[in-house]
């Protein structure tokens, strides 16, 4: 009998996320997910008895944990502009300088179960709330802070699309560089 491949959760979630990012929820086949993780289908089902919906939920929960660290930074960094700049640096890593699609976007494409879409929406709302909180800490009124946070998220997500379509990561880098002025001025 062959030795079972061991993959830690963080690495597995990252590999699953790459498949969901590249193919969307509906387009992510079990064969693709199995190949990306290096696990046989039976091993995937052993770890995720509810199948692909559980894999998607695990990816979003992992992203939520990772983003939570970034959100905490936005809430705790004494220099708000530096906290926003650090968020931007970390987002550059998450999205490989604009070369990767946003998993929140691809998880909500046609075919995704409602609970997966709802999980992605909760994460997006938490991101908005964290950015608005940073803007309030920088002196913005609540309504203006919410407007700035929404503008920041729209710019980030739009820049991801444009950077990939034009194969020009400088678009994403430019938007990230503008975030401290937008949120912390």
């Amino acid at each position: 009998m062959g030795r079972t491949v061991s993959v830690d959760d963080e690495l597995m979630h990252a590999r699953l996320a790459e498949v969901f990012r590249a193919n969307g929820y509906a387009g992510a086949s079990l064969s693709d997910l199995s190949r990306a993780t290096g696990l046989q289908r039976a091993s995937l089902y052993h770890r995720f008895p509810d199948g692909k919906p559980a894999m998607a939920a695990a990816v979003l929960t992992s992203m939520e944990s990772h983003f939570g660290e970034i959100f905490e930074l936005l809430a705790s960094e004494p220099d708000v502009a530096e906290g926003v700049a650090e968020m931007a640096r970390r987002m550059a890593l998450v999205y490989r300088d604009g070369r990767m699609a946003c998993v929140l976007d691809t998880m909500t494409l046609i075919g995704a179960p409602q609970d997966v879409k709802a999980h992605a929406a909760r994460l997006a709302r938490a991101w908005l709330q964290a950015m608005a909180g940073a803007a309030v800490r920088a002196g913005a009124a609540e309504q203006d802070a919410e407007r700035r946070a929404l503008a920041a998220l729209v710019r980030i997500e739009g820049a991801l699309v444009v950077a990939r379509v034009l194969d020009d990561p400088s678009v994403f880098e430019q938007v990230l560089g503008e975030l401290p002025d937008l949120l912390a001025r």
Side-chain angles (χ1 to χ4, degrees):
M1 186 175 225
R3 185 172 171 263
T4 304
V5 175
S6 176
V7 179
D8 79 357
D9 286 345
E10 188 174 328
L11 180 57
M12 179 179 309
H13 297 157
R15 289 176 177 174
L16 292 170
E18 286 186 24
V19 175
F20 286 121
R21 282 177 169 178
N23 303 316
Y25 179 87
S29 72
L30 288 176
S31 295
D32 292 335
L33 295 164
S34 174
R35 191 171 24 263
T37 61
L39 298 175
Q40 298 296 320
R41 283 180 169 198
S43 295
L44 271 178
Y45 274 110
H46 178 73
R47 285 183 91 158
F48 302 99
D50 292 331
K52 190 162 67 167
M55 291 176 220
V59 165
L60 290 171
T61 299
S62 179
M63 295 279 304
E64 197 167 25
S65 174
H66 183 71
F67 276 31
E69 295 170 13
I70 296 169
F71 301 161
E72 179 57 35
L73 176 75
L74 286 173
S76 65
E77 172 61 45
D79 181 337
V80 176
E82 180 53 39
V84 173
E86 181 60 23
M87 175 195 74
R89 284 189 285 276
R90 293 183 186 193
M91 289 298 158
L93 294 173
V94 168
Y95 296 115
R96 293 191 189 146
D97 295 320
R99 291 177 177 86
M100 293 293 296
C102 179
V103 76
L104 299 179
D105 174 33
T106 61
M107 285 288 202
T108 58
L109 296 172
I110 294 172
Q114 192 56 43
D115 59 327
V116 170
K117 290 180 181 182
H119 195 161
R122 282 192 308 273
L123 184 49
R125 281 192 290 278
W127 194 0
L128 285 167
Q129 185 177 11
M131 290 190 293
V136 166
R137 288 183 49 238
E142 187 77 32
Q143 189 173 16
D144 187 44
E146 290 172 4
R147 182 192 58 75
R148 290 184 196 185
L150 183 59
L153 186 58
V154 168
R155 288 178 185 182
I156 291 165
E157 294 296 324
L160 282 171
V161 171
V162 173
R164 282 190 329 280
V165 168
L166 298 180
D167 192 26
D168 182 2
S170 71
V171 173
F172 187 62
E173 293 166 9
Q174 177 183 341
V175 165
L176 292 181
E178 294 168 353
L179 292 178
D181 284 340
L182 176 61
L183 294 171
R185 63 174 149 85

